[in-house]
Structures are given as structure tokens and as C-alpha cells.
Amino acid sequence: MKKLSKVLLAASMIYGSFSATAAADVAGAPNFNDISGHWAEDVITRAHDLKLIVGYEEGTFKPNGEITRAEFAAMLSRATDLPVKTGGNPFYDMTGHWAEAAVTQLVDQGFINPSDYSTGFNPYAQLTRYEMMNWISNGLMKSNETFIQAFEDTKNTLLPTPEAIRSEISSDKVPYIALARGTGIIGGFEDGSVKPQNTTTRAEVAAILLRYKDVEGKTADSYSDLNELREVGLTGANATSISPYRYQQISEKDESGRIKKEYLSFIGIYLNDHTDYKAMETFLQNPDVVIRYHDGKDPGTERFEKFSTLNMSLRDVAFKAMNAGEIVYMGLQNPKNISDEEMNRYMADSNVHLKVDKSIIPYTNFSNVKDQPIQMGDVAELQVHRLLLIPTGEIARQGAVSVYTSLFKADELIEGNNDYMVLYESTLHIKKDTNLLALLNAQGKALGNPLFGRLQRFNKEMNSKSELPVIPQIPGDFFKQGAVNRFWSYEPSPYDSIWVATDSGAYFKLSRP
């Protein structure tokens, strides 16, 4: 009898059941008498077939019943394929508990962080949705290191949920929710909310476990929603992960119109029959001068020789090359340290030749302007925090969707053929009493930005559907001196390029093919 009791106790610890009957049910077909017609009937059956879940001894599954920490730990311990490690139980209140082995396993595998439960695991406490997302995200990071980077990338992202808009989710929870939401393991409710403090039903858990099994071990970049959340976390914008818009390189020229020397791979003088070779002697005082040759019939081929090693006059070098059908230059390779004086001498020659290395010119990025001040004359100062492109119109009807589509009700708010809606999240600091018209016409850096010329505030209907903080229809104190308001605005029909510049000169530019 004692031997049988030990067997049954072991079974209950492994399978998260409360009886020998339920534990034995794992191996057979589900005969739960309370799931017929339930939305999760097929899901529960599949989860049972995979031996992830069991029911109660009276033959029920209780799909709408709330799940405890111990029950979810037992189920998750069976769902994971991570290597099982052996360690000690860190929780005093789990000693001898039927789920002790499962909880200890999840701690050793990295799903559960004991420091999150410093006063005890409390196994019979109802599991919250955030706890579930936390454990699952920890598991993903253990299953593939790319999820560790994704976790870091999403620390500053905007979660696609109304709670994020209302600042109801603490920053430490954001990346855990982002991993679970971005991989599709856990979705939102009909209104887009994730309700992290809510409890979870057993039916929901059955579906979530199946999704987790499908994601575990894969790479983070396999999930488009997660890639979009990562881009927003890193840059403040989602443009390149959701649209054909691409960032343009910064200008290769300075404010005077001269090419910046740090982007030059060569600066030199084209040598020919009419060159004043005596005048070239000034350049030859630099020991780093090289001769650049390329085939006149194939400009893509080039070779260099250091002039000081040739033991020939510059004129002889040039004429020898020209007689061989080559085009020849005298100058400097990678002249990033060239003095302004020497640069000016080269630029003064009518036969100056510059070669730009496009590969080293950095690209603009929304992160360049994120949170930077943009003056609106003496009226206000504006900072742009985020830029989101949402597919609408025909491309949305063809299936293009952003992780933020439901949050901003883009499919309901924008009709017609505009293929993208651009949303801006900004903060406006009012310096003196004003109104919207005066604000948009205020002199300053903002006046030259297309952002402000095409910016539109949400109308009453759009505002009521999206629940976003916006410029109100009746401004009230919004434009009063000293007011500081964070709000969303939109551009319904962007041009082929989108750009914003700040007072510091930082800017970004997005263009589409």
C-alpha cells in the first residue's frame, strides 16, 4: 500500500494532477465531459494528445476555470524541450508539494526566477497573465540566444496595447510582454489590451502552451511582429520593418557644398598633355602622394603606386601611362587627415578629381531626431518621440498589417486608397498662449519641416475609437502658457519621402522606391 501511494504521489508531481484517475488519463484519449462545443475544444484535445494537460478526477477539464501557479508550472514543465537540469528546491512552501518537481525543474531551466518570489512561491495563487508572459519569455531566451537580443531591443518599445498608451505597464515588464506578444504566443483581447494583471483560464493556457512549443528554439527574427517591436524599441520608428520606405544616407557635402573629406577615398589631379607639371611640385612635397591609374576602356579597374618609389618625374610617369592607354591621376588615397590648406590647394585646381566611398557614409535614422527639441518660434517647442507607419487602403485589404493596426484602429479610421498612415507621438511645450493656427505658422525650425505642414489632428470620431491622447477639438488649456502635453497626430497620405529636422541640424529622411 505504501509503495502504491509513493507511485501515485510521483505521478501527481510529474503531471500536475490531483488523483490517480487524472494522472492515468494522460495516456488515453481525452474524455472530458465539459469541453464539447467550447471554443478551445480542439486545442484542449491536441494539448492532451501531447501530454501537456490533464483533467480532474470527476472527468472534467474546467476550461473556464482559473489556473494556479502550480498547475501552470506542471503544464509548462511538460511543454518545454529544454534540457532538464537537477537542482534544489528554492522555495520553502514547495517542499512536499505535488508540483515541487515541476517548479524546481522550471527554476533550473530558467523559466522561473526565484527572486521574483522572495516571500515564497505560493503555489495555489492564481496565475496572472504577466507571470505567464514572464515565464514564457525567460524560456524563449534560454531556448535561443537571439531572443536575448530581442529582449534588449524591446526595452524601449511601444507595446501595441491601450495599457501602454495609458502608461499602465511598468518599464521592467515591457520586454517580457513584447517577446510573448511579438511571437504570437499570447495575443490581446478584442480591444487590443493584454490585461497583464488578469488571471488566466485553463483553456487559454492549453492554447498558449501549444504556441509556445512551436516557438521554442526558433530564432527571434522569424517573427515579423517582434521585428517591428524591436525596430520601434531601438529607433522609435517601424518604417523599415513594415513598409518599403528606406532611410537615405546623410549628405556627403558640408554646408558650403564641399564634399566632406572623411568620405573621400581619393582626392587628386587629373594629369594630361596640358597639365602644368611644375605647378604640381607643391603637391609632391607630401610623401604619401600616389599615382592612380585606371584603364580608359574600363573605369572600374584601378591600381595605385606610391610616387616616391617610381624614381621618375611626374611628367614621365603621366606620359608613360597615357601612352599605355591609361587615365592617370596624382593625389592621396583615403585623405581623411588631409589639412584644410592642402585640401584647398587640390580644390583650387580645375582638374581636381574626387572619389567618394559611398559605403562609409552613414544612413539617417529616426533615432537621430527622437526626443530632440524643435523650436516653433517663440511660441512653443516640440519633441517627436515616435513615428509609426500603418498599412491602410488597398495594401491593407491585400493583407498588409502592422502590429499596431488594431491599437490605432487604422482599418476603421482611414478609408480610400492611401496605402499608409503615418502617426507621430510628440510632446508640445507651450511658451506663451497660442492656438493651433498660430502654432503651425510660427517661425522656427519647425516651419520648414513637412511634418508640421501636413500634420493633422484626430477628429472626434477617430479620437473616440482610438482613445489616444490628441490635440482636443476644444483646446481648453492645451495651448496655455506652461502647458506640456504628450499627444498623437497623423498624416493620412504621406509623400514619397518623410523627413524631420531638429534645431541641432540632426535629421532623418525616409524614401520609397
Side-chain angles (χ1 to χ4, degrees), residues 374 376 382 384 440 445-447 449-455 500-501:
I374 305 172
M376 307 182 83
L382 186 124
V384 184
L440 295 179
K445 193 72 176 179
L447 191 60
N449 275 288
L451 162 66
F452 304 101
R454 305 197 296 269
L455 205 60
V500 172

Side-chain angles (χ1 to χ4, degrees), residues 158 161-169 191 193-195 407 466-469:
L158 174 69
T161 174
E163 293 101 331
I165 295 294
R166 298 192 295 264
S167 301
E168 295 174 356
I169 299 175
D191 63 353
S193 61
V194 293
K195 297 180 171 43
L407 175 64
S466 65
E467 300 181 10
L468 299 173

Side-chain angles (χ1 to χ4, degrees), residues 398-415:
Q398 293 175 0
V401 64
S402 162
V403 72
Y404 298 103
T405 293
S406 61
L407 175 64
F408 293 104
K409 305 295 188 292
D411 49 349
E412 300 175 29
L413 302 181
I414 301 297
E415 298 179 354

